[in-house]
Amino acid sequence: MIVQLGKTSLSWTRADLEAKIAGYPRVLIDVGTGDGRFVYRSAGAHPDTFCIGVDPAGERMREVSWRASRKVARGGRPNALFVVASVQALPEELGGLAHTLTLNFPWASLLSALVLPEPPVLEALRRLVRPGGELIALLNQSVFDDRPYAARLGLPELSDAWVEEALRPAYLAAGFAIRETRMVEGEVPHQTSWGQHLTLASGRRTRLLTAEAIGGAAPG
Ligand SMILES: C[S@@+](CC[C@H](N)C(=O)[O-])C[C@H]1O[C@@H](n2cnc3c(N)ncnc32)[C@H](O)[C@@H]1O
């Protein structure tokens, strides 16, 4: 898999990754991580958790991945890593690692895969997570509330009924049991660059969707 480290990209094997995460009792994977700040912050706030950000736009993770690589006293985060990949081609090296999988304010093909939904993408996400692990998604509901705009993007109406009728069975078939879906009142649980940006824009609404990874390891 390709790891972003400042301006450099490196090729890592599963063995490289295992050596790095050894000793950390928990792993968080954030798919569609954007600039990586959420992963950097999470790594600082939870030193016992190895935090991995994944995004196809490696150049946007340059600054934060460089900061994370410095000495701890200078803001380094030895428990943070940034991987260049899209959700449609997730590296096998990440398989079965996550106790927590986060998806914060996804857009484009990541968003549509989650809400249409697209079973191969759900299955690929499930393969990242350990049995019993959790998925936490924060979705920008305002995109769906603007029906003409959402329709132009090919997005469905994201309502509680859609979650029950379309998402619940598809997520379950992929090995995710949806636990909760609701609009978030007040502060969203994850502080991310997009979350802050959207909170500043008045009237923005965020939907929280959580699920538990059920069954054994997801099929490869
Ligand atoms: C609105 S930004 C949110 C970034 C970050 N999670 C945050 O909250 O600040 C959406 C992110 O989804 C990523 N994204 C879009 N399509 C994707 C795909 N197919 N696979 C993985 N990430 C994707 C984009 O590169 C972008 O970084």
Side-chain angles (χ1 to χ4, degrees):
M1 66 181 184
I2 306 297
V3 166
Q4 190 74 36
L5 194 57
K7 289 183 182 164
T8 314
S9 17
L10 308 168
S11 181
W12 276 33
T13 62
R14 173 79 177 203
D16 294 330
L17 181 59
E18 279 176 0
K20 191 84 176 160
I21 66 178
Y24 289 96
R26 293 190 63 79
V27 174
L28 174 146
I29 300 181
D30 183 47
V31 174
T33 202
D35 62 16
R37 282 174 212 278
F38 170 68
V39 162
Y40 180 87
R41 282 195 199 112
S42 300
H46 305 285
D48 66 335
T49 302
F50 196 87
C51 301
I52 304 173
V54 180
D55 202 284
E59 68 282 359
R60 261 189 263 139
M61 300 186 287
R62 277 184 188 174
E63 193 212 317
V64 165
S65 61
W66 170 77
R67 267 206 275 150
S69 70
R70 293 184 300 180
K71 291 202 164 59
V72 174
R74 304 191 61 204
R77 299 284 185 263
N79 56 331
L81 188 75
F82 300 88
V83 173
V84 184
S86 77
V87 76
Q88 288 80 8
L90 288 168
E92 277 177 20
E93 289 85 345
L94 295 177
L97 290 180
H99 296 81
T100 301
L101 168 67
T102 54
L103 299 135
N104 296 316
F105 307 104
W107 71 22
S109 59
L110 178 56
L111 177 61
S112 45
L114 292 174
V115 299
L116 282 175
E118 290 172 11
V121 168
L122 297 182
E123 287 157 16
L125 288 171
R126 175 63 185 81
R127 284 197 288 276
L128 298 179
V129 186
R130 295 163 193 255
E134 60 180 348
L135 173 154
I136 306 174
L138 291 174
L139 306 171
N140 180 0
Q141 180 74 35
S142 305
V143 170
F144 299 89
D145 292 346
D146 182 345
R147 274 318 299 151
Y149 177 66
R152 276 202 304 281
L153 297 178
L155 295 173
E157 192 167 341
L158 186 58
S159 58
D160 289 348
W162 182 259
V163 173
E164 288 310 315
E165 288 155 26
L167 302 194
R168 184 177 291 285
Y171 276 60
L172 199 55
F176 282 121
I178 291 182
R179 293 287 178 235
E180 190 184 16
T181 176
R182 62 176 169 85
M183 304 309 297
V184 180
E185 305 295 340
E187 236 179 63
V188 296
H190 298 156
Q191 302 307 308
T192 80
S193 296
W194 267 92
Q196 283 165 345
H197 175 73
L198 293 173
T199 311
L200 291 175
S202 60
R204 292 289 174 173
R205 301 201 311 143
T206 301
R207 177 182 288 270
L208 171 75
L209 187 146
T210 65
E212 182 186 336
I214 54 164

